[in-house]
């Protein structure tokens, strides 16, 4: 529970970037393309850094990364609104992105170990956003102390590289990339788009963004529950099929009905999110840190690389036109999940061969 709440504190900073975009547009007169460059700054270094941290955590246990990276993620966002300089804003957001990147691979390893298998302020209020980072870092400490205690009766086993299903992991990673593109694109522009559709209502933008992220909590819990009853690949397939219709509804349904489709989109995209992480770990059981770094980091962050292209398209056409290609993204994820197998639990490598005499006795 401590790890879950601490993880939630870190993920606030991924959502905070999207939540700040309307403020940057309103207070600094940024174009869509310039504003989406802030999302790019958060994603670019994160996408490169997270697999690196995954490789490092496969080699060495680095539990101290959890509180340190939590603070880094919070401090970067907290400072992002204090300077009018676009360059400094990009720098601070990038610092936060590195913190988020450093957190996820090690948190996935530690979580697996622990579990065994409206009214708005302005950009001047961004320092308040450091508070979840302080809380999240504090929550990590007791967990690390508990896991540091020597445990009796447990033996470490090594999974052989031959157990890795690299081909399936690559297909899974591509599916996560497409999910990332649609989710990041919507989270970047949904607030502004809702404001346009509701005659400039800032409340409408806030509600749309809230629903998009609220589905993360609902969808993740629902995904875990469904995966206990059905297999993870099948549940993910159904979710992406739902997401195709839901994203279409977000972009083209008029009036307040748009909010219903935002909620459905959020649930549809978040149901497979945690399932994809464990699928990646089971496809690459000998390199859990690397798998987590890619499925939680590189593939998720790639969506931010597409945001400036959507922003430029929105500046030259309309926001609706720019968002329309996002409908194809869950369809591509669905197609990839149609050819993915449900992985079996890998068997650990035997420590030593059985003596001949013992085989004969058996």
């Amino acid at each position: 529970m401590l790890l879950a709440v601490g993880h939630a504190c870190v993920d606030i900073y991924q959502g905070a970037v999207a939540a700040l975009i309307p403020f940057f547009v309103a207070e600094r007169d940024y174009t869509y393309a310039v504003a989406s460059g802030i999302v790019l700054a958060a994603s670019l270094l994160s996408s490169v850094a997270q697999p690196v941290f995954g490789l490092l955590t496969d080699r060495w246990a680095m539990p101290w990364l959890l509180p340190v990276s939590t603070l880094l993620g919070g401090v970067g966002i907290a400072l992002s609104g204090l300077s009018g300089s676009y360059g400094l804003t990009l720098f601070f957001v990038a610092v936060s992105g590195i913190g988020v990147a450093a957190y996820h691979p090690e948190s996935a390893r530690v979580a697996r170990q622990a579990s065994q298998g409206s009214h708005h302020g302005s950009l001047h209020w961004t320092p308040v956003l450091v508070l979840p980072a302080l809380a999240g870092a504090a929550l990590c400490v007791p967990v690390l102390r508990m896991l540091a205690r020597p445990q009796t009766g447990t033996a470490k086993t090594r999974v052989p590289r031959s157990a890795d299903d690299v081909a399936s992991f690559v297909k899974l990673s591509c599916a996560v990339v497409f999910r990332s593109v649609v989710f990041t694109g919507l989270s970047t522009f949904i607030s502004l788009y809702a404001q346009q559709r509701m005659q400039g209502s800032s409340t409408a933008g806030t509600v749309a963004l809230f629903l998009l992220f609220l589905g993360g909590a609902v969808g993740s819990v629902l995904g875990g529950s469904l995966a206990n009853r059905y297999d993870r690949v099948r549940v993910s397939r159904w979710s992406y099929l739902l997401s195709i219709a839901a994203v279409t509804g977000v972009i083209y349904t008029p009036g307040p009905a748009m909010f219903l489709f935002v909620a459905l989109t959020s649930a549809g995209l978040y149901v497979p999110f945690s399932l994809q992480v464990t699928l990646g770990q089971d496809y690459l059981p000998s390199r859990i840190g690397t798998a987590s770094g890619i499925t939680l980091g590189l593939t998720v962050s790639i969506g931010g690389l597409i945001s400036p292209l959507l922003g430029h398209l929105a500046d030259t056409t309309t926001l609706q036109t720019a968002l329309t290609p996002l409908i194809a993204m869950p369809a591509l994820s669905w197609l990839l999940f149609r050819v993915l197998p449900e992985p079996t639990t890998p068997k650990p490598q035997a420590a030593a061969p059985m003596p001949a005499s013992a085989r004969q006795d058996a």
Side-chain angles (χ1 to χ4, degrees):
M1 289 299 296
L2 289 172
L3 285 172
V5 177
H7 198 151
C9 290
V10 173
D11 282 349
I12 283 175
Y13 299 110
Q14 287 183 309
V17 177
L20 290 173
I21 290 298
F23 291 94
F24 285 118
V25 171
E27 295 187 23
R28 299 183 183 175
D29 295 323
Y30 288 168
T31 64
Y32 291 134
V34 170
S36 58
I38 298 172
V39 179
L40 174 63
S43 302
L44 186 59
L45 286 178
S46 180
S47 63
V48 174
Q50 199 149 168
V52 174
F53 284 111
L55 289 169
L56 292 175
T57 57
D58 273 337
R59 231 175 139 79
W60 303 285
M62 295 187 290
W64 54 267
L65 265 180
L66 298 186
V68 171
S69 59
T70 300
L71 289 172
L72 197 62
V75 169
I77 291 296
L79 297 176
S80 65
L82 296 186
S83 172
S85 167
Y86 185 65
L88 281 177
T89 299
L90 295 181
F91 171 77
F92 288 129
V93 169
V95 167
S96 177
I98 293 176
V100 172
Y103 179 89
H104 280 94
E106 182 65 7
S107 72
R109 186 191 68 81
V110 172
R112 193 177 181 102
Q113 179 185 351
S115 63
Q116 300 175 353
S118 255
H119 292 286
H120 300 291
S122 67
L123 292 176
H124 294 293
W125 283 93
T126 55
V128 176
L129 294 174
V130 78
L131 296 179
L134 298 175
L139 288 169
C140 292
V141 175
V143 178
L144 301 183
R145 287 178 178 173
M146 286 187 286
L147 295 178
R149 296 172 187 166
Q151 299 179 12
T152 58
T154 58
K156 289 186 177 180
T157 55
R158 177 168 299 209
V159 179
R161 288 291 180 96
S162 59
D164 292 344
D165 185 353
V166 177
S168 293
F169 182 77
V170 170
K171 294 173 187 174
L172 172 70
S173 298
C174 291
V176 179
V177 166
F178 295 131
R179 178 211 174 271
S180 169
V181 170
V182 62
F183 185 81
T184 306
L186 286 177
S187 63
T188 302
F189 296 111
I190 191 66
S191 183
L192 295 169
Y193 188 58
Q195 289 180 30
Q196 285 186 6
R197 300 291 295 277
M198 304 297 170
Q199 291 76 46
S201 169
S202 60
T203 301
T206 302
V207 170
L209 192 60
F210 172 76
L211 289 174
L212 187 65
F213 285 105
L214 176 66
V218 177
S220 296
V221 173
L222 180 61
S225 177
L226 291 173
N228 287 331
R229 189 169 181 178
Y230 309 97
D231 63 67
R232 291 167 292 179
V233 171
R234 187 187 307 178
V235 171
S236 299
R237 245 190 340 248
W238 291 345
S239 299
Y240 283 122
L241 200 57
L242 167 68
S243 299
I244 299 170
V247 174
T248 304
V250 169
I251 299 173
Y252 287 103
T253 299
M258 169 191 178
F259 296 119
L260 171 63
F261 286 103
V262 172
L264 290 175
T265 296
S266 180
L269 293 177
Y270 264 110
V271 161
F273 184 74
S274 61
L275 307 184
Q276 291 167 162
V277 177
T278 59
L279 280 171
Q281 293 174 339
D282 288 342
Y283 286 141
L284 289 186
S286 72
R287 291 168 283 182
I288 288 176
T290 301
S292 302
I294 293 175
T295 54
L296 277 170
L298 180 63
T299 51
V300 171
S301 301
I302 283 177
L305 308 182
I306 307 299
S307 292
L309 297 179
L310 295 178
H312 178 70
L313 184 59
D315 285 330
T316 54
T317 57
T318 65
L319 196 48
Q320 185 180 65
T321 300
L323 294 177
T324 297
L326 298 181
I327 299 171
M329 299 299 108
L332 293 172
S333 295
W334 174 74
L335 288 172
L336 285 166
F337 265 93
R338 282 177 58 85
V339 296
L340 279 176
E342 180 70 22
T344 55
T345 303
K347 295 180 179 180
Q349 195 171 28
M354 183 184 293
S357 59
R359 289 197 299 269
Q360 291 171 358
D361 292 340

